[in-house]
Amino acid sequence: PHPTGGDVTARGGGIESVRQVSAEIGRVFQVWATLERALNAQLRALGQGTTGDRWQGIGVRIHAWRRVSLERGPGALVEDLTLLMADALEWRNRLAHGVSGHGWSEAAGGWVIRTELNGTRAEITTARLAGMTAQVAGLASHLSRVTSWTLERGILDPEALGRDVRSCVIGRGTSG
């Protein structure tokens, strides 16, 4: 085994696989920084602002966006996007605080990143992680459309908005 926990002799192994796993984890944090900025901007646009408390967690801000958006906006779409953010946040936290190894998994049919956080073990394929990261990137770039609809109700058809945003955001992660 490699000192980082990966088996570099496994299928698809070698230092390239270690670099690919590291790059994929790095992309998660790059995209999350973009989503956090977008979420803060949308909260300000919705009149919620931010507390200015740098320790206020992203989970609190996701909940605030969901609450305000559900009061005023397209409910089913808001719920879908909130679920996506919650799932992706769980994996962001696992990658930040609980990576325990990586390697080839015959059962998963690809490279996996193994984590242990708060006594719970989980693994994710790099393909699924890449898909989720693409979805979060799409969400960061389309979050303002949901806020615009929320602020200017009636200008856009909520069904059409929902189809389009789902296609642009959720559809991004389905190819991996």
Side-chain angles (χ1 to χ4, degrees), residues 15 24 36 46 58 65 70 84 95 146 152 156 171 174:
I15 199 68
E24 202 55 57
E36 288 193 42
L46 290 165
I58 183 70
W65 176 83
L70 281 175
L84 170 64
L95 296 172
V146 178
E152 303 168 17
L156 295 172
T174 58

Side-chain angles (χ1 to χ4, degrees), residues 26-57:
R27 271 190 287 280
V28 167
F29 294 107
Q30 181 182 23
V31 167
W32 264 98
T34 303
L35 177 62
E36 288 193 42
R37 283 191 302 276
L39 192 58
N40 288 340
Q42 298 320 304
L43 284 169
R44 283 191 299 276
L46 290 165
Q48 298 303 298
T50 57
T51 65
D53 180 357
R54 68 185 189 146
W55 300 113
Q56 181 184 10

Side-chain angles (χ1 to χ4, degrees), residues 46 65-82 142-166:
L46 290 165
W65 176 83
R66 177 185 175 273
R67 180 183 44 77
V68 173
S69 296
L70 281 175
E71 289 171 4
R72 308 179 196 174
L77 176 60
V78 169
E79 289 294 0
D80 287 349
L81 298 179
T82 301
H142 290 278
L143 201 58
S144 63
R145 295 177 65 200
V146 178
T147 299
S148 292
W149 188 92
T150 299
L151 294 171
E152 303 168 17
R153 291 179 108 169
I155 292 177
L156 295 172
D157 172 22
E159 305 257 335
L161 174 68
R163 279 191 307 275
D164 191 43
V165 170
R166 280 184 186 92

Side-chain angles (χ1 to χ4, degrees), residues 26-141:
R27 271 190 287 280
V28 167
F29 294 107
Q30 181 182 23
V31 167
W32 264 98
T34 303
L35 177 62
E36 288 193 42
R37 283 191 302 276
L39 192 58
N40 288 340
Q42 298 320 304
L43 284 169
R44 283 191 299 276
L46 290 165
Q48 298 303 298
T50 57
T51 65
D53 180 357
R54 68 185 189 146
W55 300 113
Q56 181 184 10
I58 183 70
V60 171
R61 288 178 274 161
I62 290 170
H63 178 74
W65 176 83
R66 177 185 175 273
R67 180 183 44 77
V68 173
S69 296
L70 281 175
E71 289 171 4
R72 308 179 196 174
L77 176 60
V78 169
E79 289 294 0
D80 287 349
L81 298 179
T82 301
L83 286 172
L84 170 64
M85 284 190 274
D87 189 38
L89 178 60
E90 169 75 16
W91 279 104
R92 177 235 174 253
N93 288 342
R94 287 187 162 284
L95 296 172
H97 308 291
V99 173
S100 59
H102 58 84
W104 181 264
S105 168
E106 286 296 329
W111 274 85
V112 296
I113 301 169
R114 294 178 190 87
T115 65
E116 185 171 349
L117 187 63
N118 300 324
T120 304
R121 292 180 181 179
E123 65 182 29
I124 188 169
T125 64
T126 54
R128 179 170 175 243
L129 184 61
M132 187 184 308
T133 302
Q135 288 176 330
V136 171
L139 176 57
S141 65

